[in-house]
Amino acid sequence: MAQDWRLFQGGDTRPHKVETWPPAPPWRRFGDDARRRDKKRPLPYLISDEDRDVVNMALHLHRPLLVTGRPGTGKSTLAHAIARELMLGEVLHWPVNSRSTLTEGLYSYDAVGRLREASLKRRADESAGTEPDIGDYLRLGPLGTALLPAKKPRVLLVDELDKGDVDLPNDLLTVFEEGEFEIPELARLGEGKRVQVQYAGSREKAGITSGWVSCSVFPVVVITSNGEREFPPAFLRRCVRLDLKQPDEAQLQRIVTMHLGEEVGARAQELIADFVSRRSERELATDQLLNAVRLRSSGVRVDQDVLDKLFRSLNEVDAQ
């Protein structure tokens, strides 16, 4: 008989130890061991021939790839798949929100921190006339880092651009067209002045001369959108557009098998069919199916009522 899967009972239940904590699904494992396993056994990215060709068009044209589609269709994962397969290093991630600005994506400057450090030095030694190195208070953002000159491009994921300010897409146009930007705080130091500045995703520093960052090869820019609003025509003309469709039943079967193994995938056919039927009535994402299959295959009793609750609780549309 299957054990009671409810670890927490509530009410006046006496405190009790959980001898064996439930193992995490593969996509919810953390720490160095999990990262090493992911690198050793990366999952393939399932994509249609038509969509694959659109991705390659963007790579050959050195244009941003604007990826649209419902949640769970693999928009963000595509950037990581490109970086992994083409060996382009770690993905530079810029999650956009309503407060995001172009400058934030390019660089940040801690002017207050530099002023405070200078004040402390003067108090410690009134004769000291050296100012703190400005490079220690500057840091390139994900977009600024992607534009550093390099032999091979970096992959930049601009995630959920449609959540940003209405002017942000237009602000990005000049940078995408010119492939360079200026840091005024460094430009004011004078022509030819070279400053070492830390960049995103690393503790290393890059040398910036005369305050200008200019790419030698345009980065692989993947921009995702959930379709919450339209983008300006001028912005759309400069992007290669890809609309990812929801995976069909056969694709879902392959996704479940990839993540949870052949044995679990073979037992999940009925649940996958049920998921596809529910998806025609409400918006459901693929990761919700994976969670449901994992819960049912974890060795505890999970009836249809529990699965109904799971789909509802993970559905952001119903939760609003």
Side-chain angles (χ1 to χ4, degrees):
M1 183 175 178
Q3 61 176 321
D4 187 353
W5 70 284
R6 296 175 175 87
L7 304 177
F8 172 74
Q9 299 293 335
D12 59 354
T13 306
R14 295 176 62 85
H16 55 280
K17 288 184 179 180
V18 178
E19 298 297 337
T20 304
W21 198 254
W27 54 90
R28 293 297 298 168
R29 294 172 186 166
F30 304 98
D32 292 337
D33 289 342
R35 282 191 287 269
R36 281 195 290 269
R37 283 195 300 269
D38 290 342
K39 289 182 178 179
K40 287 182 180 178
R41 191 170 52 88
L43 296 175
Y45 185 83
L46 300 181
I47 189 169
S48 68
D49 292 344
E50 181 181 355
D51 291 345
R52 178 198 60 200
D53 289 345
V54 175
V55 173
N56 282 287
M57 290 177 192
L59 298 179
H60 280 275
L61 295 173
H62 292 230
R63 288 286 184 184
L65 179 68
L66 177 60
V67 187
T68 57
R70 290 186 175 183
T73 52
K75 300 186 296 296
S76 301
T77 312
L78 176 58
H80 294 273
I82 294 171
R84 182 177 64 245
E85 182 176 330
L86 302 182
M87 300 177 67
L88 297 177
E90 296 293 328
V91 173
L92 296 164
H93 186 203
W94 183 16
V96 174
N97 58 51
S98 59
R99 300 178 300 278
S100 297
T101 64
L102 175 62
T103 300
E104 169 197 299
L106 295 174
Y107 74 98
S108 60
Y109 174 47
D110 184 8
V112 174
R114 187 177 182 226
L115 183 63
R116 184 185 300 115
E117 182 68 18
S119 177
L120 289 174
K121 283 188 174 183
R122 282 194 294 269
R123 290 178 184 176
D125 185 358
E126 294 184 0
S127 63
T130 57
E131 291 289 324
D133 186 355
I134 189 173
D136 293 337
Y137 300 88
L138 272 160
R139 181 182 175 88
L140 296 182
L143 174 55
T145 301
L147 293 173
L148 286 171
K151 292 182 179 179
K152 292 200 299 185
R154 293 291 301 270
V155 178
L156 170 67
L157 171 61
V158 184
D159 216 0
E160 298 189 331
L161 182 60
D162 51 334
K163 291 186 181 297
D165 184 81
V166 66
D167 293 325
L168 184 56
N170 282 329
D171 293 339
L172 287 168
L173 284 180
T174 300
V175 175
F176 284 161
E177 287 301 294
E178 302 297 332
E180 62 180 10
F181 68 97
E182 182 187 43
I183 301 177
E185 291 84 355
L186 298 184
R188 286 194 289 267
L189 299 178
E191 187 69 26
K193 179 68 174 179
R194 187 173 178 84
V195 178
Q196 297 293 320
V197 176
Q198 190 175 352
Y199 52 89
S202 174
R203 295 183 179 179
E204 302 294 325
K205 290 188 176 184
I208 298 175
T209 304
S210 304
W212 280 93
V213 176
S214 302
C215 69
S216 51
V217 57
F218 191 73
V220 177
V221 181
V222 178
I223 304 170
T224 70
S225 168
N226 291 323
E228 294 186 6
R229 62 177 175 82
E230 292 292 327
F231 294 120
F235 177 80
L236 294 175
R237 286 197 302 270
R238 288 163 173 81
C239 297
V240 175
R241 283 176 272 178
L242 171 63
D243 184 32
L244 290 178
K245 302 295 189 296
Q246 289 184 316
D248 58 24
E249 192 166 336
Q251 290 173 315
L252 289 172
Q253 183 72 54
R254 292 176 62 191
I255 291 171
V256 169
T257 300
M258 281 193 315
H259 283 275
L260 298 173
E262 294 281 351
E263 184 178 349
V264 173
R267 299 201 308 265
Q269 293 180 355
E270 181 182 345
L271 184 54
I272 293 172
D274 180 51
F275 175 83
V276 172
S277 175
R278 292 168 182 265
R279 197 176 62 182
S280 63
E281 301 171 358
R282 67 171 75 168
E283 186 171 307
L284 293 174
T286 304
D287 59 345
Q288 293 170 267
L289 170 64
L290 289 171
N291 281 288
V293 174
R294 170 67 183 187
L295 197 60
R296 174 172 279 185
S297 66
S298 60
V300 297
R301 186 189 302 115
V302 180
D303 56 24
Q304 192 65 37
D305 180 60
V306 171
L307 291 176
D308 289 340
K309 293 175 183 177
L310 177 67
F311 283 138
R312 287 199 303 271
S313 67
L314 294 176
N315 192 307
E316 63 180 27
V317 175
D318 288 348
Q320 291 175 350

